[in-house]
Structure formats: structure tokens, C-alpha cells
Amino acid sequence: MKITRIASHVLSCDMPETLGYSQQYYRRRTAHLVEVETDEGVTGWGECFGPGAVAVANKGIVEGVIQPMVLGADPLDRDVIWHRVYNLLRDHGRKGMPLQALSGVDIALWDISGKVAGLPLHKLIGGAHRNDVPVYGYGMMLRPERVSELAARFRDEAAAVREAGFVAAKMKLGLGREDDVRLAEAVRRGVGADFRFMADANHCYTTGDAFYVGRALEELGAYWFEEPVAPEDLDGYRELRAGLRINIAGGETEFNRWGWRAILENRGLDIAQPEVCALGGISEYLRVLALCHAHHTPVVNHVWGSAVAVATNLHLLAAMPTLPGGLNPWEPMLEFDTTENVFRDGLLVEPLDIQGHVKRNGGRVAIPTAPGLGVSPDRDFIRRYEMA
Ligand code: CA
């Protein structure tokens, strides 16, 4: 079997409202799908992390840089292809966009491998440690509003996430430390005293401000404090983890096994959040997962993007061994965006319907069982949203 073509599809649409996180507000949603075609008619789908103009530039890397390196190769030689591309791009980018681009291609090769074998991705990896996974709902995004309005909105949204059946809720931070504590208090009021919630700063704090907010989150009983400081600030991470009685989570912006080795050896994370569509695809995710577990660091995958990314992560979460195990082991969760996302809910011929699973199954979603990723993107949908 040979790879005959690699195509990128960058989908884009206006969102119904302006949303934000600690770095920016935005009004357009993007998704970057990768399609790998073969001479035997089997097609694989993957996805690259990266919004907007980043997706457009990554499309250039996928089609213009990676495609010529792998045309004619056997798509089942995933690891050979990964290292050929990585080694040839090493001098030009060991992190960032080249790895995001490679991720989409690698995921598509795993999809092809599953389809050829007639096995779902989790079976190809080694089997399902669980047949369903709990889902947490993130929302509580920033809006350009006064803090009092936003706090009321966060309270109501947090209550709605719990009402919808999710097992936990995650909020954004980013107004500044005093206002952020007000938002976190509002989320606690919204979800009630006995419900798990997490807070995501998207690396907007100095270490000092992160301690201020982190102590408030401790008092509120938050489960984790995500990306408190800049990803380059390994010392800050280590000091926060040693000084706060709340789980420190992070890692979504890190790439490949070497980047992750540095994070893990630094001992700054309680919970690792690798992003499979960015760090180097499934091949590299499995190596990073092994590294995390070698450091006894539990993993909750970072999930963002379309139904292709969500399906990929469902398989990976199913195939994740328990750490350290037991009758009632610690469980990972699926990260799920509760804001409107047409590229997740409208892309597939048969939608994943995560919200329906969550509502009906006590906050849990079943793992797909069809070969490969088990998803079929709707080509008419892709044509409708694809950027020219
Ligand atoms: Ca995050």
C-alpha cells in the first residue's frame, strides 16, 4: 500500500458570540483536518491543533513540506514515516507548527492502519482499559464584560454544566488576580459545594500572582489549577507544586518526548495534559504517555477541535492504563467544550453525540468501536466550511 496524496482542509466559521481566554478574545472558529489517500482506496483522517492563520500556515507545511517526504511510503510504516519527517525537519523546528502539522498526518496514518486491520484505534494500541470515560465540561469562557456580569454568567453556566450531567466543570481565568478569584467564587456557587471544578489560566500569571490565585482555589476546593504560569517557567511550576495544596496541571503547549522529558523531570506537574493533535500525533503521544507514567504522573488529555480530535482522544483515553491501578482506580476524563462547536457536532455523517451520552449515562461516554478512529466526516459539510 502506498500514500498517494495528503490534503489539508481548513474549516472556518463565525461564532455566535465573542469568547475569550486569558490571551485574547475571538469570534471565528477553525478546524484543520488532514486526509491521507492511498492507492488501495483506504483514506485516513487526522487533525492538526492550531486556530486561524496558524491552521492556514500548517496546511502549507502538511501539503508543501511533509507530503513530498512521504508520498509513495507505506502508510502502515507509521513510525518510519514519523522519524523520517521529524529528522528532516529537526533543523527547522523541533517544536511548534512543524509538529502540529506532523500530528495530523500521523493520526491519519493510524486511522488507515485501523481500517486495514479492521480494528478500532484503541484495539490497535493494545485494548480498552475502560469501555467508557467520564466527561468534564469546560465553558465559563471570558467575554468583554464587566466582572460583575461575567461572575453572574459564570455562576449560571457552571450550574448548567452540572445540570447537563458532566462529572466536573472547568472555567477560564484571566481578568487579573483579584477579579479571577471573584470568578472562581462564582463558579463554586454555581456548581455547589460537592462538585468538582477546575480553573485554567492559560499561562497568564507571574509566579507571585499564581500563588495568590492558587491559595484562593485551594480554599474553594478546586480540583486543579491549569497552566498557571508560562510554559517556559519550569521553576515557577515546581515552586507552585511544592507550595500549593491543589493539583497543578499543564503541558498542552509542549511538544514531543524531549519537551515532555524536561517538564516531567522538573517535577512541576500533578496532572499532565498532552495534546495529541500538536505534540506529534498518536505515535509520539504514546511515547509521552509512557514517559508520564514512568514519572508516576497521571494524564488527562488536552482536547480541542473537531469531532476527529474528540474521537481520537476517546480511543486514547480507553487505551490508557490505570496508574497505579486498584479496585477503584484514578480515572482520566474527556475534556469537552460546552460552547457551540459546529465542527464537532456537525462534521460527521454519524455524530458522536457526546452531550447525549453524558445526559443518559451518568456523565460518561462510550468508546467508538468502528475500525480506525471510527468516524466519517461529511464531505458536503467540509466543502461548505472549507476556506478557499
Ligand atoms: Ca487549557
Side-chain angles (χ1 to χ4, degrees):
M1 187 182 279
K2 288 184 167 54
I3 296 171
T4 52
R5 180 169 174 260
I6 301 182
S8 266
H9 306 279
V10 177
L11 314 184
S12 180
C13 70
D14 285 323
M15 304 189 326
E17 59 177 332
T18 298
L19 298 176
Y21 60 109
S22 69
Q23 304 299 320
Q24 63 182 331
Y25 294 108
Y26 57 100
R27 261 219 91 117
R28 287 189 71 73
R29 194 179 285 288
T30 341
H32 179 184
L33 306 181
V34 174
E35 184 181 13
V36 175
E37 295 175 6
T38 65
D39 61 348
E40 295 186 18
V42 183
T43 294
W45 293 91
E47 180 160 353
C48 303
F49 180 83
V54 173
V56 174
N58 278 341
K59 175 183 169 76
I61 299 174
V62 169
E63 294 182 346
V65 180
I66 296 178
Q67 178 173 232
M69 295 176 182
V70 304
L71 278 182
D74 185 336
L76 304 187
D77 291 347
R78 302 176 299 266
D79 199 54
V80 176
I81 290 170
W82 196 96
H83 286 89
R84 179 187 301 167
V85 172
Y86 186 82
N87 291 344
L88 286 171
L89 290 180
R90 175 176 272 131
D91 297 4
H92 313 287
R94 294 181 292 277
K95 296 188 179 192
M97 289 159 67
L99 271 288
Q100 293 173 346
L102 175 55
S103 298
V105 175
D106 179 82
I107 293 167
L109 298 182
W110 278 87
D111 189 28
I112 291 172
S113 300
K115 287 169 175 168
V116 168
L119 297 172
L121 173 61
H122 63 266
K123 190 71 99 175
L124 206 58
I125 292 170
H129 293 270
R130 51 194 67 78
N131 296 317
D132 55 19
V133 289
V135 186
Y136 78 85
Y138 86 79
M140 288 71 80
M141 307 286 291
L142 302 185
R143 269 91 162 178
E145 300 175 338
R146 292 206 313 271
V147 61
S148 54
E149 292 168 12
L150 200 57
R153 184 197 284 277
F154 272 32
R155 180 199 60 214
D156 295 346
E157 282 188 14
V161 167
R162 179 174 184 167
E163 185 63 25
F166 294 96
V167 301
K170 191 168 86 182
M171 63 176 294
K172 290 297 188 189
L173 301 164
L175 299 184
R177 62 183 211 172
E178 280 84 6
D179 285 348
D180 285 343
V181 171
R182 288 182 63 185
L183 294 180
E185 289 167 348
V187 167
R188 174 50 86 200
R189 279 197 299 279
V191 295
D194 56 345
F195 193 77
R196 184 180 272 190
F197 86 94
M198 297 81 83
D200 185 359
N202 291 98
H203 50 74
C204 68
Y205 297 130
T206 61
T207 305
D209 284 351
F211 267 108
Y212 179 94
V213 174
R215 288 191 181 111
L217 291 172
E218 281 179 0
E219 292 299 313
L220 291 166
Y223 180 54
W224 78 54
F225 187 11
E226 178 169 330
E227 286 208 288
V229 294
E232 301 92 330
D233 186 7
L234 296 182
D235 293 335
Y237 265 98
R238 194 176 55 249
E239 290 161 11
L240 287 163
R241 186 179 181 220
L244 290 173
R245 288 170 290 111
I246 180 173
N247 291 310
I248 303 296
E252 68 184 69
T253 66
E254 193 51 78
F255 297 87
N256 73 40
R257 73 200 82 160
W258 299 284
W260 273 95
R261 179 179 63 182
I263 289 188
L264 292 161
E265 289 181 347
N266 178 63
R267 307 296 295 162
L269 285 184
D270 292 290
I271 293 170
Q273 298 175 298
E275 168 52 70
V276 66
C277 299
L279 65 78
I282 295 166
S283 298
E284 196 66 1
Y285 167 90
L286 294 173
R287 292 187 269 265
V288 167
L289 175 67
L291 264 182
C292 291
H293 283 190
H295 288 82
H296 299 279
T297 305
V299 171
V300 179
N301 298 350
H302 178 259
V303 184
W304 182 90
S306 85
V308 173
V310 173
T312 303
N313 277 286
L314 280 174
H315 289 283
L316 295 179
L317 290 167
M320 184 189 294
T322 54
L323 178 83
L327 274 178
N328 297 291
W330 183 92
E331 276 194 308
M333 297 182 281
L334 175 72
E335 176 170 14
F336 187 83
D337 174 6
T338 61
T339 67
E340 185 176 311
N341 182 346
V342 67
F343 299 140
R344 184 194 57 222
D345 296 340
L347 172 68
L348 301 183
V349 176
E350 281 182 56
L352 294 168
D353 187 27
I354 306 286
Q355 299 95 321
H357 279 264
V358 164
K359 188 88 199 161
R360 292 189 301 274
N361 303 328
R364 304 181 73 92
V365 59
I367 307 303
T369 53
L373 301 180
V375 296
S376 302
D378 179 339
R379 291 192 181 275
D380 289 336
F381 180 94
I382 289 175
R383 270 190 288 276
R384 187 153 74 246
Y385 288 100
E386 186 157 11
M387 290 175 75

